[in-house]
Amino acid sequence: MKLLKDKIMSEGIVLNDSILKVDSFLNHQIDPELMMAVGKEFAARFADEKIDKVFTIESSGIACALTTALCLHVPVVFARKQKSELMSSEAYTTKVYSFTKKVTSDVSVLKKFLHEGETVLIVDDFLANGEAALGLADIAHQAGCKVAGIGIVIEKSFQPGHQRLVDAGYHLESLARIKAFKDGKVVFEED
Ligand code: G4P
């Protein structure tokens, strides 16, 4: 997606050989027009699926999931990283390990927001090791939902997430695929 790649080139900061900082448009400040374009692109790429809900994880997944859901005219549900007292047995829960932060989080969704037989589209901002996407897929399966596919805004193709999701049989669409960070610059995979 050219608009996204241009934004990464102009505003992304390569912090080291594995981390890209994009807090001016995706992870802290959010560019709403870019997020609308992202939502339209995901809606187009999964147009052949009948999607009932868009499913993501707080916090940075919410903006791109919301615009996708707006384009598909369906609700968006986001998994919470902190299980509140209210959630207890009324929630589906899974564990997600963050290689970046070196912590394992319990991730939960209230049962009343995902129903057996529904088809969900998983959307997230980054794909690194695939832990978040696989955790969301686990919750969807616990609820008896079908996963139509996984939409990722920025994929770091040199990390294991892409292969793990493809090996698990998911239809994966990533809007910007980064092959490497070289000399402080982003190198994209060919489209
Ligand atoms: P994984 O889900 O693919 O396994 O990724 P990993 O555990 O490595 O990433 C944990 C967190 O770090 C996630 O955000 C993920 O989006 C983010 N992340 C991974 N690689 C990068 C990167 O190169 N740049 C940036 N900016 N973020 C990266 P999170 O902890 O869930 O944070 P948030 O959604 O609350 O912002």
Side-chain angles (χ1 to χ4, degrees):
M1 184 183 169
K2 186 174 182 312
L3 189 65
L4 174 64
K5 286 182 175 176
D6 289 348
K7 192 79 166 174
I8 293 169
M9 290 310 265
S10 61
E11 295 186 23
I13 298 165
V14 177
L15 283 190
N16 53 43
D17 60 5
S18 66
I19 299 287
L20 175 71
K21 197 167 170 185
V22 283
D23 59 357
S24 70
F25 63 90
L26 188 62
N27 293 137
H28 199 7
Q29 176 170 265
I30 295 171
D31 180 333
E33 278 159 11
L34 179 64
M35 284 308 110
M36 271 312 295
V38 161
K40 275 186 195 158
E41 184 69 25
F42 281 140
R45 292 194 189 200
F46 291 98
D48 290 344
E49 301 281 349
K50 175 159 178 352
I51 292 156
D52 297 303
K53 276 170 190 168
V54 177
F55 188 30
T56 189
I57 182 165
E58 65 175 346
S59 56
S60 299
I62 296 175
C64 50
L66 178 67
T67 55
T68 305
L70 200 57
C71 294
L72 292 169
H73 307 285
V74 297
V76 53
V77 176
F78 67 90
R80 291 185 178 272
K81 288 176 186 161
Q82 291 292 325
K83 202 161 96 174
S84 82
E85 291 298 306
L86 283 173
M87 294 185 92
S88 65
S89 62
E90 301 306 307
Y92 299 110
T93 299
T94 196
K95 290 199 183 300
V96 171
Y97 177 71
S98 168
F99 288 92
T100 309
K101 295 181 178 165
K102 308 267 184 281
V103 290
T104 300
S105 313
D106 276 325
V107 168
S108 307
V109 177
L110 281 181
K111 290 182 177 172
K112 66 178 178 181
F113 295 125
L114 290 177
H115 304 121
E116 189 171 354
E118 285 180 332
T119 299
V120 300
L121 173 63
I122 292 172
V123 167
D124 205 3
D125 58 333
F126 262 95
L127 175 60
N129 293 288
E131 288 288 306
L134 288 167
L136 290 173
D138 178 44
I139 287 180
H141 292 135
Q142 286 181 45
C145 294
K146 179 186 162 202
V147 176
I150 299 174
I152 298 291
V153 181
I154 301 176
E155 171 187 306
K156 294 185 289 183
S157 312
F158 56 89
Q159 291 187 305
H162 177 102
Q163 205 52 49
R164 289 178 78 193
L165 300 187
V166 169
D167 287 349
Y170 294 110
H171 172 189
L172 173 64
E173 293 284 346
S174 302
L175 304 187
R177 300 189 63 216
I178 295 173
K179 183 157 71 174
F181 299 127
K182 202 169 174 218
D183 304 326
K185 295 251 178 336
V186 175
V187 183
F188 291 107
E189 298 273 5
E190 299 296 324
D191 281 328

